[in-house]
Amino acid sequence: MKGTVIGKIRSGGGGLAVSLDKNYSGAVKWNDEKNVIELLNIPTELRASGATFYFSSRKATDSEQGIITADGDESIKTVLYGMKFSTTECPN
């Protein structure tokens, strides 16, 4: 998949809001962006708002999501765990 970081969802815990370039089951419209999911395990160098990358993923487990602060917008229901990341091509 190809995604672009939209930003933080809450002050602590969980992942970042990422807008996908294609429809994805369970993705939502969030802050006027389409096809948004929550993505965990993003490498530090790709976490800046506006960063675009390719990634492979799987559904995140409850334990991977960790402790989450209650000050976020929880309308994003699809939480994925990033496995491989690349800035140039889709990883296998």
Side-chain angles (χ1 to χ4, degrees):
M1 291 187 267
K2 181 180 180 183
T4 302
V5 174
I6 304 304
K8 291 181 78 166
I9 299 169
R10 57 193 74 80
S11 64
L16 298 176
V18 173
S19 176
L20 305 176
D21 69 331
K22 296 182 180 176
N23 278 342
Y24 185 82
S25 178
V28 298
K29 185 174 182 180
W30 189 77
N31 288 355
D32 294 325
E33 297 287 341
K34 295 180 182 177
N35 303 319
V36 177
I37 53 99
E38 182 173 349
L39 185 61
L40 304 171
N41 198 39
I42 301 172
T44 304
E45 65 273 12
L46 298 177
R47 292 182 185 173
S49 185
T52 298
F53 50 82
Y54 299 88
F55 65 99
S56 62
S57 65
R58 60 172 170 72
K59 289 200 181 236
T61 66
D62 288 341
S63 64
E64 288 168 336
Q65 294 181 48
I67 297 171
I68 295 174
T69 58
D71 62 347
D73 175 352
E74 299 304 319
S75 62
I76 302 173
K77 301 297 183 196
T78 300
V79 182
L80 301 179
Y81 186 87
M83 303 293 290
K84 294 181 183 178
F85 294 85
S86 172
T87 57
T88 57
E89 62 186 5
C90 207
N92 295 331

Coordinates of all heavy atoms in Angstrom, one line a residue:
M1 N 0.8 -1.2 0.0 CA 0.0 0.0 0.0 C 0.9 1.2 0.0 O 2.0 1.2 0.5 CB -0.9 0.0 1.2 CG -2.0 -1.1 1.2 SD -3.1 -0.9 2.6 CE -2.3 -2.0 3.8
K2 N 0.3 2.3 -0.5 CA 1.0 3.6 -0.4 C 0.2 4.5 0.5 O -1.0 4.6 0.4 CB 1.1 4.2 -1.8 CG 1.8 5.5 -1.9 CD 1.9 6.1 -3.3 CE 2.6 7.4 -3.4 NZ 2.5 7.9 -4.8
G3 N 0.9 5.2 1.4 CA 0.2 6.1 2.3 C 0.9 7.4 2.6 O 2.1 7.5 2.4
T4 N 0.2 8.3 3.1 CA 0.7 9.6 3.5 C 0.3 9.9 4.9 O -0.9 9.8 5.2 CB 0.2 10.7 2.5 OG1 0.6 10.4 1.2 CG2 0.8 12.1 2.9
V5 N 1.3 10.3 5.7 CA 1.0 10.6 7.1 C 0.2 11.9 7.2 O 0.5 12.9 6.6 CB 2.3 10.8 7.9 CG1 2.0 11.2 9.4 CG2 3.1 9.5 7.9
I6 N -1.0 11.8 7.9 CA -1.8 13.0 8.1 C -1.4 13.6 9.4 O -1.4 14.8 9.6 CB -3.3 12.6 8.2 CG1 -3.7 11.8 6.9 CG2 -4.2 13.8 8.4 CD1 -3.5 12.6 5.6
G7 N -1.2 12.8 10.5 CA -0.8 13.4 11.8 C -1.2 12.5 12.9 O -1.7 11.4 12.7
K8 N -1.0 13.0 14.1 CA -1.3 12.3 15.3 C -2.8 12.2 15.5 O -3.5 13.2 15.2 CB -0.7 13.0 16.5 CG 0.9 12.9 16.6 CD 1.4 13.6 17.8 CE 1.2 12.7 18.9 NZ 2.0 13.0 20.1
I9 N -3.3 11.2 16.1 CA -4.7 11.0 16.4 C -5.0 11.4 17.9 O -6.0 12.0 18.1 CB -5.1 9.5 16.2 CG1 -4.8 9.1 14.8 CG2 -6.5 9.3 16.7 CD1 -5.0 7.6 14.5
R10 N -4.0 11.2 18.7 CA -4.2 11.5 20.2 C -2.8 11.9 20.7 O -1.8 11.7 20.1 CB -4.7 10.3 20.9 CG -3.9 9.1 20.7 CD -4.6 7.8 21.2 NE -5.6 7.3 20.3 CZ -5.4 6.6 19.2 NH1 -4.2 6.4 18.8 NH2 -6.4 6.2 18.5
S11 N -2.7 12.4 21.9 CA -1.5 12.9 22.5 C -0.5 11.7 22.8 O 0.7 11.9 22.8 CB -1.7 13.7 23.7 OG -2.3 13.0 24.8
G12 N -1.0 10.5 23.1 CA -0.1 9.4 23.4 C -0.7 8.1 23.1 O -2.0 7.9 23.2
G13 N 0.1 7.2 22.7 CA -0.3 5.8 22.4 C -0.9 5.7 21.0 O -1.2 6.6 20.3
G14 N -0.9 4.4 20.6 CA -1.5 4.1 19.2 C -0.5 4.6 18.1 O 0.7 4.7 18.3
G15 N -1.1 4.7 17.0 CA -0.2 5.1 15.8 C -0.6 6.4 15.2 O -1.2 7.3 15.9
L16 N -0.3 6.6 14.0 CA -0.6 7.9 13.3 C -1.7 7.6 12.2 O -1.9 6.5 11.7 CB 0.7 8.3 12.5 CG 1.9 8.7 13.4 CD1 3.1 9.1 12.5 CD2 1.5 9.8 14.4
A17 N -2.4 8.7 11.9 CA -3.4 8.7 10.9 C -2.7 8.7 9.5 O -1.8 9.6 9.3 CB -4.4 9.9 11.0
V18 N -3.0 7.8 8.7 CA -2.4 7.7 7.4 C -3.4 7.6 6.3 O -4.4 6.7 6.4 CB -1.4 6.4 7.3 CG1 -0.9 6.2 5.9 CG2 -0.3 6.6 8.3
S19 N -3.3 8.4 5.3 CA -4.3 8.4 4.2 C -3.7 7.5 3.1 O -2.6 7.7 2.6 CB -4.5 9.8 3.6 OG -5.3 9.8 2.5
L20 N -4.5 6.5 2.6 CA -4.1 5.6 1.6 C -4.4 6.1 0.2 O -5.4 6.8 0.1 CB -4.7 4.2 1.8 CG -4.5 3.6 3.2 CD1 -5.2 2.3 3.3 CD2 -3.0 3.4 3.5
D21 N -3.6 5.7 -0.8 CA -3.9 6.2 -2.1 C -5.0 5.5 -2.8 O -5.5 5.9 -3.9 CB -2.6 6.2 -3.0 CG -2.2 4.8 -3.3 OD1 -2.4 3.8 -2.5 OD2 -1.5 4.6 -4.4
K22 N -5.5 4.4 -2.2 CA -6.6 3.6 -2.8 C -7.6 3.3 -1.7 O -7.3 3.3 -0.5 CB -6.1 2.3 -3.4 CG -5.2 2.5 -4.6 CD -4.7 1.1 -5.1 CE -3.8 1.4 -6.3 NZ -3.3 0.2 -6.9
N23 N -8.8 2.9 -2.1 CA -9.8 2.5 -1.1 C -9.4 1.3 -0.3 O -8.7 0.4 -0.9 CB -11.1 2.1 -1.8 CG -12.0 3.3 -2.1 OD1 -11.8 4.4 -1.6 ND2 -12.9 3.2 -3.0
Y24 N -9.7 1.2 0.9 CA -9.3 0.1 1.8 C -10.5 -0.2 2.7 O -11.1 0.8 3.3 CB -8.1 0.4 2.6 CG -7.6 -0.8 3.4 CD1 -6.8 -1.8 2.8 CD2 -7.9 -0.9 4.7 CE1 -6.4 -2.8 3.6 CE2 -7.5 -2.0 5.5 CZ -6.7 -2.9 4.9 OH -6.3 -4.0 5.6
S25 N -10.9 -1.4 2.8 CA -12.1 -1.8 3.6 C -11.8 -1.3 5.1 O -10.8 -1.6 5.7 CB -12.2 -3.3 3.6 OG -13.3 -3.7 4.5
G26 N -12.7 -0.5 5.6 CA -12.6 0.0 6.9 C -12.0 1.4 7.1 O -12.0 2.0 8.1
A27 N -11.4 1.9 6.0 CA -10.8 3.2 6.0 C -12.0 4.2 6.0 O -13.1 4.0 5.6 CB -10.0 3.4 4.8
V28 N -11.7 5.4 6.6 CA -12.7 6.4 6.8 C -12.2 7.8 6.3 O -11.0 8.0 6.0 CB -13.1 6.6 8.3 CG1 -13.7 5.3 8.8 CG2 -11.9 7.0 9.2
K29 N -13.2 8.7 6.2 CA -12.8 10.1 6.0 C -12.5 10.7 7.3 O -13.2 10.6 8.3 CB -13.9 10.9 5.3 CG -13.5 12.3 4.9 CD -14.6 12.9 4.1 CE -14.2 14.3 3.7 NZ -15.2 15.0 2.9
W30 N -11.3 11.4 7.4 CA -10.8 12.0 8.7 C -10.1 13.3 8.4 O -9.2 13.3 7.6 CB -9.9 11.0 9.4 CG -9.5 11.3 10.8 CD1 -10.3 11.1 11.9 CD2 -8.3 11.8 11.2 NE1 -9.6 11.5 13.0 CE2 -8.3 12.0 12.6 CE3 -7.1 12.2 10.6 CZ2 -7.3 12.4 13.4 CZ3 -6.0 12.7 11.3 CH2 -6.1 12.8 12.7
N31 N -10.6 14.3 9.1 CA -10.0 15.7 8.8 C -9.9 16.0 7.3 O -8.9 16.5 6.8 CB -8.6 15.8 9.5 CG -8.7 15.8 11.0 OD1 -9.7 15.9 11.6 ND2 -7.5 15.9 11.6
D32 N -11.0 15.8 6.6 CA -11.1 16.0 5.2 C -10.2 15.2 4.3 O -10.0 15.5 3.1 CB -10.9 17.5 4.9 CG -12.0 18.4 5.5 OD1 -13.1 17.9 5.6 OD2 -11.7 19.5 5.9
E33 N -9.6 14.2 4.8 CA -8.8 13.2 4.0 C -9.5 11.9 3.9 O -10.2 11.5 4.8 CB -7.4 12.9 4.7 CG -6.5 14.1 4.9 CD -5.9 14.6 3.6 OE1 -5.8 13.8 2.7 OE2 -5.4 15.8 3.6
K34 N -9.4 11.3 2.7 CA -10.1 10.1 2.4 C -9.2 8.9 2.7 O -8.0 9.0 2.7 CB -10.6 10.0 1.0 CG -11.6 11.1 0.6 CD -12.0 11.0 -0.8 CE -13.0 12.1 -1.2 NZ -13.4 12.0 -2.6
N35 N -9.8 7.7 2.9 CA -9.1 6.4 3.0 C -8.1 6.4 4.1 O -7.0 6.0 3.9 CB -8.5 6.0 1.7 CG -9.4 6.0 0.5 OD1 -10.6 5.5 0.7 ND2 -9.0 6.5 -0.6
V36 N -8.5 6.9 5.3 CA -7.6 7.0 6.4 C -7.7 5.8 7.4 O -8.8 5.3 7.7 CB -7.9 8.3 7.2 CG1 -7.0 8.4 8.4 CG2 -7.7 9.5 6.3
I37 N -6.6 5.3 7.7 CA -6.4 4.2 8.7 C -5.4 4.7 9.8 O -4.8 5.7 9.6 CB -5.9 2.9 8.1 CG1 -4.6 3.1 7.2 CG2 -7.0 2.3 7.1 CD1 -3.4 2.7 8.0
E38 N -5.4 3.9 10.9 CA -4.3 4.2 11.9 C -3.2 3.2 11.6 O -3.5 2.0 11.5 CB -4.9 4.0 13.3 CG -3.9 4.3 14.4 CD -4.5 4.3 15.8 OE1 -5.7 4.3 15.9 OE2 -3.7 4.3 16.7
L39 N -2.0 3.6 11.6 CA -0.9 2.7 11.3 C 0.1 2.8 12.4 O 0.6 3.9 12.9 CB -0.2 3.1 10.0 CG 0.9 2.2 9.5 CD1 0.4 0.8 9.2 CD2 1.6 2.8 8.2
L40 N 0.5 1.6 12.9 CA 1.5 1.5 14.0 C 2.8 1.1 13.4 O 2.9 0.5 12.3 CB 1.0 0.4 15.0 CG -0.3 0.5 15.6 CD1 -0.7 -0.7 16.4 CD2 -0.4 1.7 16.6
N41 N 3.9 1.3 14.2 CA 5.2 0.8 13.9 C 5.9 1.5 12.7 O 6.7 1.0 12.0 CB 5.2 -0.7 13.6 CG 6.5 -1.4 13.7 OD1 7.3 -1.0 14.5 ND2 6.8 -2.3 12.8
I42 N 5.5 2.8 12.5 CA 6.1 3.6 11.4 C 7.5 4.0 11.9 O 7.7 4.5 13.0 CB 5.3 4.8 11.1 CG1 3.8 4.5 10.7 CG2 5.9 5.7 10.1 CD1 2.9 5.6 10.6
P43 N 8.5 3.8 11.0 CA 9.9 4.2 11.4 C 9.9 5.7 11.7 O 9.2 6.5 11.1 CB 10.7 3.8 10.2 CG 9.9 2.8 9.5 CD 8.5 3.1 9.7
T44 N 10.8 6.1 12.6 CA 10.9 7.4 13.1 C 11.1 8.4 11.9 O 10.4 9.5 11.9 CB 12.1 7.6 14.1 OG1 11.8 6.7 15.2 CG2 12.2 9.0 14.6
E45 N 11.9 8.1 11.0 CA 12.2 9.0 9.9 C 11.0 9.2 8.9 O 11.0 10.1 8.0 CB 13.4 8.5 9.1 CG 13.2 7.2 8.4 CD 13.6 6.0 9.2 OE1 13.7 6.1 10.4 OE2 13.7 4.9 8.6
L46 N 9.9 8.4 9.0 CA 8.8 8.5 8.2 C 7.5 9.1 8.9 O 6.4 9.1 8.3 CB 8.4 7.2 7.6 CG 9.5 6.5 6.7 CD1 9.0 5.2 6.2 CD2 9.8 7.4 5.5
R47 N 7.7 9.5 10.1 CA 6.5 10.0 10.9 C 6.1 11.4 10.7 O 5.1 11.8 11.2 CB 6.8 9.7 12.4 CG 6.9 8.3 12.8 CD 7.2 8.1 14.2 NE 7.4 6.7 14.5 CZ 7.7 6.2 15.7 NH1 7.9 7.0 16.7 NH2 7.9 4.9 15.8
A48 N 6.8 12.2 10.0 CA 6.5 13.6 9.8 C 5.2 13.7 9.0 O 5.0 13.0 8.0 CB 7.6 14.3 9.1
S49 N 4.4 14.7 9.4 CA 3.1 15.0 8.6 C 3.5 15.2 7.2 O 4.4 16.0 6.9 CB 2.4 16.2 9.2 OG 1.2 16.4 8.6
G50 N 2.8 14.6 6.2 CA 3.1 14.7 4.8 C 4.1 13.7 4.2 O 4.2 13.6 3.0
A51 N 4.7 12.9 5.1 CA 5.6 11.9 4.6 C 4.8 10.8 3.8 O 3.8 10.4 4.3 CB 6.4 11.2 5.7
T52 N 5.3 10.5 2.6 CA 4.7 9.4 1.8 C 5.6 8.3 1.7 O 6.8 8.4 1.5 CB 4.4 10.0 0.4 OG1 3.4 11.1 0.6 CG2 3.7 9.0 -0.5
F53 N 5.0 7.0 1.8 CA 5.8 5.8 1.7 C 5.0 4.7 1.3 O 3.7 4.8 1.3 CB 6.5 5.5 3.1 CG 5.5 5.6 4.3 CD1 4.7 4.5 4.6 CD2 5.4 6.7 5.0 CE1 3.8 4.5 5.6 CE2 4.5 6.8 6.1 CZ 3.7 5.7 6.4
Y54 N 5.6 3.6 1.0 CA 4.9 2.3 0.7 C 5.2 1.4 1.9 O 6.2 1.4 2.5 CB 5.6 1.7 -0.6 CG 5.4 2.5 -1.8 CD1 6.4 3.5 -2.1 CD2 4.3 2.4 -2.7 CE1 6.3 4.3 -3.2 CE2 4.2 3.1 -3.8 CZ 5.2 4.1 -4.1 OH 5.1 4.9 -5.2
F55 N 4.2 0.5 2.1 CA 4.3 -0.4 3.3 C 3.5 -1.7 3.1 O 2.5 -1.7 2.3 CB 3.9 0.3 4.6 CG 2.5 0.7 4.6 CD1 1.6 -0.1 5.3 CD2 2.0 1.9 4.0 CE1 0.2 0.3 5.4 CE2 0.7 2.2 4.1 CZ -0.2 1.4 4.8
S56 N 3.9 -2.7 3.8 CA 3.1 -3.9 3.9 C 2.7 -3.9 5.4 O 3.3 -3.4 6.2 CB 3.9 -5.2 3.6 OG 5.0 -5.3 4.4
S57 N 1.5 -4.6 5.6 CA 1.0 -4.5 7.0 C 0.0 -5.7 7.2 O -0.3 -6.5 6.4 CB 0.2 -3.2 7.2 OG -0.9 -3.2 6.3
R58 N -0.4 -5.8 8.5 CA -1.4 -6.7 8.9 C -2.2 -6.0 10.0 O -1.8 -5.0 10.5 CB -0.8 -8.0 9.5 CG 0.1 -7.7 10.7 CD 0.6 -9.0 11.3 NE 1.6 -8.8 12.3 CZ 1.4 -8.3 13.5 NH1 0.2 -7.9 13.9 NH2 2.4 -8.1 14.4
K59 N -3.4 -6.6 10.3 CA -4.2 -6.0 11.4 C -3.4 -6.1 12.7 O -2.7 -7.0 13.0 CB -5.5 -6.8 11.6 CG -6.4 -6.5 10.4 CD -7.8 -6.8 10.7 CE -8.7 -6.6 9.5 NZ -9.7 -5.7 9.7
A60 N -3.5 -5.0 13.5 CA -2.8 -4.9 14.7 C -3.5 -5.6 15.8 O -4.8 -5.7 15.8 CB -2.6 -3.4 15.1
T61 N -2.8 -6.2 16.7 CA -3.4 -6.9 17.9 C -3.7 -5.8 19.0 O -3.1 -4.7 19.0 CB -2.5 -8.0 18.5 OG1 -1.3 -7.3 19.0 CG2 -2.1 -9.0 17.4
D62 N -4.5 -6.1 19.9 CA -4.8 -5.2 21.0 C -3.5 -4.9 21.8 O -3.3 -3.7 22.2 CB -5.8 -5.8 22.0 CG -7.2 -5.8 21.4 OD1 -7.5 -5.1 20.4 OD2 -8.1 -6.6 21.8
S63 N -2.7 -5.9 22.0 CA -1.5 -5.6 22.8 C -0.5 -4.7 22.1 O 0.3 -4.0 22.7 CB -0.8 -6.9 23.2 OG -0.3 -7.6 22.1
E64 N -0.5 -4.7 20.8 CA 0.4 -3.9 20.0 C 0.0 -2.4 20.0 O 0.8 -1.5 19.9 CB 0.5 -4.3 18.5 CG 1.2 -5.6 18.3 CD 1.1 -6.2 17.0 OE1 0.1 -6.0 16.3 OE2 2.0 -7.0 16.6
Q65 N -1.3 -2.2 20.3 CA -1.8 -0.8 20.4 C -1.4 -0.1 21.7 O -1.3 1.1 21.7 CB -3.3 -0.8 20.2 CG -3.7 -1.2 18.8 CD -5.2 -1.2 18.6 OE1 -5.9 -0.3 18.9 NE2 -5.7 -2.3 18.0
G66 N -1.2 -0.9 22.7 CA -0.7 -0.4 24.0 C -1.7 0.5 24.7 O -2.9 0.5 24.3
I67 N -1.2 1.3 25.6 CA -2.0 2.2 26.3 C -2.3 3.4 25.5 O -1.3 4.0 24.9 CB -1.3 2.6 27.7 CG1 -1.2 1.4 28.5 CG2 -2.1 3.7 28.4 CD1 -0.3 1.6 29.8
I68 N -3.5 3.9 25.4 CA -3.9 5.0 24.5 C -4.6 6.0 25.3 O -5.5 5.8 26.1 CB -4.9 4.4 23.4 CG1 -4.1 3.5 22.5 CG2 -5.5 5.6 22.6 CD1 -5.0 2.8 21.5
T69 N -4.2 7.3 25.2 CA -4.8 8.4 25.9 C -6.2 8.6 25.3 O -6.5 8.3 24.2 CB -4.0 9.7 25.8 OG1 -3.8 10.0 24.4 CG2 -2.6 9.5 26.4
A70 N -7.1 9.2 26.2 CA -8.5 9.4 25.8 C -8.8 10.7 25.1 O -9.9 11.0 24.9 CB -9.3 9.3 27.1
D71 N -7.8 11.4 24.7 CA -8.0 12.7 24.1 C -8.0 12.8 22.6 O -7.9 13.8 22.0 CB -6.9 13.7 24.6 CG -5.5 13.3 24.2 OD1 -5.3 12.2 23.8 OD2 -4.6 14.2 24.4
G72 N -8.1 11.6 22.0 CA -8.1 11.6 20.5 C -9.5 11.4 19.9 O -10.5 11.2 20.5
D73 N -9.5 11.5 18.6 CA -10.7 11.2 17.8 C -10.6 9.7 17.4 O -9.8 9.3 16.6 CB -10.6 12.1 16.5 CG -11.8 11.8 15.6 OD1 -12.5 10.8 15.8 OD2 -11.9 12.6 14.6
E74 N -11.5 9.0 18.0 CA -11.5 7.5 17.8 C -12.4 7.1 16.6 O -12.9 5.9 16.6 CB -11.9 6.8 19.1 CG -10.9 7.1 20.2 CD -9.4 6.8 19.9 OE1 -9.2 5.8 19.3 OE2 -8.6 7.6 20.3
S75 N -12.7 7.9 15.7 CA -13.5 7.5 14.5 C -12.8 6.6 13.6 O -13.4 6.0 12.7 CB -14.0 8.8 13.8 OG -13.0 9.5 13.3
I76 N -11.4 6.5 13.7 CA -10.7 5.6 12.8 C -10.7 4.3 13.5 O -10.1 4.1 14.6 CB -9.2 6.1 12.6 CG1 -9.2 7.5 12.0 CG2 -8.4 5.1 11.8 CD1 -7.8 8.1 11.9
K77 N -11.4 3.3 12.9 CA -11.6 2.0 13.5 C -10.5 1.0 13.0 O -10.3 0.0 13.7 CB -13.0 1.5 13.2 CG -14.1 2.4 13.8 CD -14.0 2.5 15.3 CE -15.2 3.4 15.8 NZ -15.0 3.8 17.1
T78 N -10.0 1.2 11.8 CA -9.0 0.2 11.2 C -7.6 0.5 11.7 O -7.1 1.6 11.4 CB -9.1 0.2 9.7 OG1 -10.5 -0.1 9.3 CG2 -8.1 -0.8 9.1
V79 N -7.0 -0.4 12.5 CA -5.7 -0.2 13.0 C -4.8 -1.3 12.4 O -5.0 -2.5 12.6 CB -5.6 -0.3 14.5 CG1 -4.2 0.0 15.0 CG2 -6.6 0.7 15.1
L80 N -3.8 -0.9 11.6 CA -2.8 -1.8 11.0 C -1.5 -1.7 11.6 O -1.1 -0.6 12.2 CB -2.7 -1.5 9.5 CG -4.1 -1.6 8.7 CD1 -3.8 -1.3 7.2 CD2 -4.7 -3.0 8.8
Y81 N -0.7 -2.8 11.6 CA 0.7 -2.8 12.1 C 1.6 -2.9 10.9 O 1.5 -3.9 10.1 CB 0.8 -4.0 13.0 CG 2.2 -4.1 13.7 CD1 2.4 -3.4 14.9 CD2 3.2 -4.8 13.1 CE1 3.6 -3.5 15.5 CE2 4.5 -4.8 13.8 CZ 4.6 -4.2 15.0 OH 5.8 -4.2 15.6
G82 N 2.4 -1.9 10.7 CA 3.3 -1.9 9.5 C 4.4 -2.9 9.7 O 5.0 -3.0 10.7
M83 N 4.7 -3.6 8.6 CA 5.7 -4.7 8.7 C 7.0 -4.2 7.9 O 8.1 -4.3 8.5 CB 5.2 -6.0 8.0 CG 3.9 -6.5 8.7 SD 4.1 -7.0 10.3 CE 5.1 -8.5 10.0
K84 N 6.9 -3.8 6.7 CA 8.0 -3.4 5.9 C 7.6 -2.0 5.3 O 6.5 -1.8 4.9 CB 8.3 -4.3 4.8 CG 8.8 -5.7 5.2 CD 9.0 -6.6 4.0 CE 9.4 -8.0 4.5 NZ 9.6 -8.9 3.3
F85 N 8.6 -1.1 5.2 CA 8.5 0.2 4.7 C 9.5 0.5 3.6 O 10.6 0.1 3.7 CB 8.6 1.2 5.8 CG 7.5 1.1 6.9 CD1 7.6 0.2 7.9 CD2 6.4 1.9 6.8 CE1 6.6 0.1 8.8 CE2 5.4 1.8 7.7 CZ 5.5 0.9 8.8
S86 N 9.1 1.4 2.6 CA 10.0 1.8 1.6 C 9.5 3.2 1.1 O 8.3 3.4 1.0 CB 10.1 0.8 0.4 OG 10.8 1.4 -0.6
T87 N 10.5 4.0 0.7 CA 10.1 5.3 0.1 C 10.1 5.3 -1.4 O 9.7 6.2 -2.0 CB 11.1 6.4 0.6 OG1 12.4 6.1 0.2 CG2 11.0 6.7 2.1
T88 N 10.5 4.1 -2.0 CA 10.7 4.1 -3.4 C 9.8 3.0 -4.1 O 9.4 3.2 -5.3 CB 12.1 3.8 -3.8 OG1 12.5 2.6 -3.2 CG2 13.0 4.9 -3.4
E89 N 9.4 1.9 -3.4 CA 8.6 0.9 -4.0 C 7.9 0.1 -3.0 O 8.2 0.1 -1.8 CB 9.5 0.0 -4.8 CG 10.6 -0.8 -4.0 CD 11.5 -1.6 -4.8 OE1 11.5 -1.5 -6.0 OE2 12.3 -2.3 -4.2
C90 N 6.9 -0.6 -3.5 CA 6.1 -1.4 -2.6 C 6.9 -2.6 -2.1 O 7.3 -3.4 -2.9 CB 4.8 -1.8 -3.3 SG 3.4 -2.2 -2.2
P91 N 7.0 -2.8 -0.8 CA 7.8 -4.0 -0.3 C 7.0 -5.3 -0.4 O 5.8 -5.2 -0.4 CB 8.0 -3.7 1.2 CG 7.0 -2.7 1.6 CD 6.6 -1.9 0.3
N92 N 7.7 -6.3 -0.6 CA 7.1 -7.7 -0.7 C 6.6 -8.2 0.6 O 7.1 -8.0 1.6 CB 8.0 -8.7 -1.4 CG 8.3 -8.3 -2.8 OD1 7.5 -7.6 -3.5 ND2 9.5 -8.7 -3.3

